Amino acid sequence: MGKQKFYVVWNGLETGIFTSWKACERQVKGVEGAKYKSFDTRAEAERAYASSPYDYIKKVNRSTGQQVNKCHAPEAVLNSSALAADAACSGNPGPMEYRGVYIPNGQEMFRFGPVFGTNNIGEFLAIVHAMALIRREGWQMVVYSDSRNAIKWVNEGVCKTRLAVDEQTRPLFALIARAEKWLADNPVSTRPPLYKWDTDNWGEIPADFGRK
């Protein structure tokens, strides 16, 4: 009998720790962007699952083919007064959560969820939450997001999701409406500056959950 292995799935149909390759394979086969890795002990697997997958597996720059570490953004970015906004969703749609992290020290400034939704919606709400928090507190900060879609939606002031409105998603759409109203009431020129996080060259955004 082979040695027992423990399989961590950070991104798949279901996430968690699995005790057989067949169980793991069911979660990751055919899933775009699936992230998983085997470990020799449950303790190692539990530590890994509580961390970002990029602490254990390497991201590859699609242009150069070179490995990218978890985060090595320029010092000017890492030391800037900035919030990183990101979301995670188990399935799409599925349980979604988002958060904002102060980039210089990694402190989590806000966290919301999980609620039923999609990753793009979470990214959109995370950006607006970050902007609203900065404005309310009077901080001089910028916002980073790794989602082109969410940045576009924020700049246009509309969450262009195709998710259907039903009893399960109605609370989420109430949040979306509130976010869109905030954007309408706060023109682009008055909002904190919003920038795209360069994931290919800088690694994962500091607010990354590691299980998109």
Side-chain angles (χ1 to χ4, degrees), residues 57-131:
I57 57 178
K58 299 297 183 181
K59 185 175 179 66
V60 175
N61 185 313
R62 292 187 293 272
S63 300
T64 66
Q66 296 178 334
Q67 290 183 340
V68 178
N69 294 328
K70 181 185 178 186
C71 181
H72 58 251
E75 289 297 318
V77 173
L78 294 178
N79 294 326
S80 65
S81 184
L83 283 182
D86 200 23
C89 192
S90 297
N92 205 31
M96 177 275 291
E97 57 188 324
Y98 67 78
R99 67 176 180 163
V101 168
Y102 185 55
I103 291 177
N105 63 11
Q107 180 182 354
E108 188 175 81
M109 304 300 290
F110 63 83
R111 187 175 187 136
F112 181 84
V115 295
F116 189 83
T118 68
N119 198 70
N120 279 336
I121 293 174
E123 301 270 12
F124 170 82
L125 293 174
I127 294 171
V128 179
H129 193 141
M131 288 180 165

Side-chain angles (χ1 to χ4, degrees), residues 3-6 8 10 17 37-51 56:
K3 185 177 180 181
Q4 171 71 61
K5 289 276 191 178
F6 298 87
V8 173
W10 291 278
I17 299 172
K37 185 176 174 65
S38 67
F39 295 87
D40 291 332
T41 68
R42 178 172 287 278
E44 289 177 303
E46 289 175 350
R47 283 195 297 271
Y49 184 57
S51 306
Y56 298 89

Side-chain angles (χ1 to χ4, degrees), residues 189-212:
S189 60
T190 68
R191 302 174 198 161
L194 174 59
Y195 299 111
K196 173 70 172 65
W197 183 266
D198 187 356
T199 307
D200 276 347
N201 293 304
W202 300 350
E204 290 305 305
I205 193 167
D208 180 54
F209 285 84
R211 53 184 194 279
K212 294 182 178 62

Side-chain angles (χ1 to χ4, degrees), residues 17-49:
I17 299 172
F18 300 86
T19 56
S20 73
W21 165 243
K22 286 187 177 181
C24 174
E25 186 181 33
R26 284 196 294 270
Q27 312 312 321
V28 302
K29 188 173 182 179
V31 176
E32 183 179 358
K35 297 178 180 66
Y36 57 96
K37 185 176 174 65
S38 67
F39 295 87
D40 291 332
T41 68
R42 178 172 287 278
E44 289 177 303
E46 289 175 350
R47 283 195 297 271
Y49 184 57

